[in-house]
Amino acid sequence: MIDIFFKTLPFFALIALGYGAARTRFFGPEATSAITRFVFYFALSAMLFRFSANLTMSEVFDPQFIMAYLLASVVIYVLAIIVAFARKQPVDVAAVEAQCAVTGNTGFLGIPMLALLMGAQAIGPTMMVLAVDLIVFSSLIVILITGSRDGRMRIGVLKTVAMGLLKNPMIVSIALGLAWSAYEMPMPQPLNEFVSILGAAATPGALFAIGASLADKSAERLEVAAWLTFCKLVLHPAAVAFAALVVFDVEPFAASVMIAASSLPVAGNVYMLAQHYKAAPQRVSASILISTTVSILTVSAVIAWVAVVPV
């Protein structure tokens, strides 16, 4: 584990650098917002397009893999909702807490880190995890919140969900890359160099942006945040491991990547959703801050475990 820890340390050091820059106000809120937009809409999209353009559909779409990850995530999602209801929380808050319990920072942290630590062959499985999170759970939270507040399900909600997916640059870039690969079109050298140069900014930019965004997060409602951190960093990867290794016949290496990806800390976009719908943004903020800090150790432990345990 020590070797893995030292390999992951530079990633978290970049997060700490961003945090320090924003905390000291050397990097203001406007700068944090700007670098996040740059990474999200340009650098990360270029990296995802380049990666997916070099993958085949069979490397990305694996029904056994998807069902294993989806089933395990749904189990933890439902558990988090049940616990929230037991604390007499409304549906919108329960949905936000459940989102924290299963949605990891796969785009900004997982893809660049796992690609470097586990090799280029980890990109396809990590993208499958990202796709399930974006398509299923990012849609589900919108449906639950709007449905509970309106008292019924409206067609307009589904339209909002669909438009949100179509406008998400990560989904668009993956879809375009897979389409490029499916048609077996050669990548022109200037285009390849362009997306390579732009995509190279994704890893340091994304990690710095994660840290900078943590600077304005507060550690309120620590009991709830600790519970959600436990769900995300312990229960979620444990459930995914059981589903991938026992319930479903997932290819061994893909299973190890899936387990590693499920151990990532709470994603920053959960806070944006909570803030947008005014549904417990403070506890989401605390969950992101605590889970990211604790994940310095837990992610290293999970990656070390999948590296040595035959799966």
Side-chain angles (χ1 to χ4, degrees):
M1 176 181 166
I2 297 298
D3 290 340
I4 298 295
F5 173 75
F6 283 120
K7 287 181 180 178
T8 60
L9 196 57
F11 292 90
F12 290 102
L14 278 169
I15 293 175
L17 181 65
Y19 179 86
R23 194 71 177 176
T24 57
R25 297 297 177 183
F26 182 80
F27 215 73
E30 297 82 6
T32 299
S33 176
I35 193 172
T36 301
R37 289 199 306 272
F38 166 73
V39 171
F40 187 60
Y41 286 100
F42 298 100
L44 187 59
S45 296
M47 184 180 73
L48 291 174
F49 171 78
R50 183 169 66 88
F51 284 165
S52 55
N54 290 289
L55 295 172
T56 62
M57 185 59 72
S58 61
E59 291 176 289
V60 178
F61 183 76
D62 179 349
Q64 290 283 321
F65 183 103
I66 292 172
M67 288 304 299
Y69 179 75
L70 185 57
L71 175 63
S73 299
V74 167
V75 168
I76 303 303
Y77 195 96
V78 172
L79 173 63
I81 285 182
I82 291 173
V83 171
F85 283 166
R87 297 185 355 259
K88 303 188 184 309
Q89 299 300 306
V91 174
D92 56 350
V93 173
V96 167
E97 290 189 8
Q99 194 79 0
C100 289
V102 301
T103 307
N105 208 334
T106 311
F108 273 41
L109 177 60
I111 288 180
M113 184 170 71
L114 296 181
L116 284 175
L117 293 179
M118 304 183 76
Q121 64 270 35
I123 294 171
T126 310
M127 281 189 176
M128 276 194 278
V129 169
L130 177 62
V132 172
D133 286 344
L134 291 174
I135 296 171
V136 177
F137 294 106
S138 292
S139 302
L140 184 58
I141 187 174
V142 174
I143 292 171
L144 288 175
I145 290 176
T146 54
S148 67
R149 290 180 177 178
D150 293 346
R152 60 189 177 88
M153 184 56 60
R154 295 181 292 108
I155 297 297
V157 173
L158 299 181
K159 182 180 178 181
T160 300
V161 169
M163 291 305 297
L165 293 176
L166 292 174
K167 291 180 180 179
N168 189 304
M170 288 193 284
I171 293 178
V172 172
S173 56
I174 291 172
L176 288 176
L178 291 175
W180 194 288
S181 174
Y183 284 103
E184 298 181 349
M185 293 183 290
M187 182 79 70
Q189 188 64 24
L191 176 61
N192 185 58
E193 292 183 2
F194 171 74
V195 294
S196 296
I197 294 171
L198 183 57
T203 299
L207 297 173
F208 189 93
I210 291 171
S213 67
L214 290 175
D216 63 355
K217 301 290 186 291
S218 59
E220 300 175 11
R221 301 188 67 91
L222 291 179
E223 327 78 43
V224 179
W227 157 245
L228 297 177
T229 295
F230 179 71
C231 285
K232 186 67 205 69
L233 300 184
V234 179
L235 296 185
H236 191 216
V240 167
F242 182 79
L245 304 179
V246 179
V247 181
F248 292 90
D249 183 25
V250 179
E251 189 275 326
F253 179 76
S256 68
V257 176
M258 186 202 307
I259 297 166
S262 66
S263 71
L264 296 169
V266 179
N269 63 358
V270 183
Y271 177 77
M272 291 187 286
L273 287 167
Q275 187 84 321
H276 176 74
Y277 289 107
K278 295 180 172 56
Q282 290 81 12
R283 73 190 64 178
V284 176
S285 171
S287 301
I288 293 172
L289 180 61
I290 295 172
S291 66
T292 302
T293 303
V294 175
S295 69
I296 297 174
L297 296 176
T298 58
V299 169
S300 299
V302 170
I303 294 176
W305 179 74
V306 298
V308 299
V309 174
V311 296

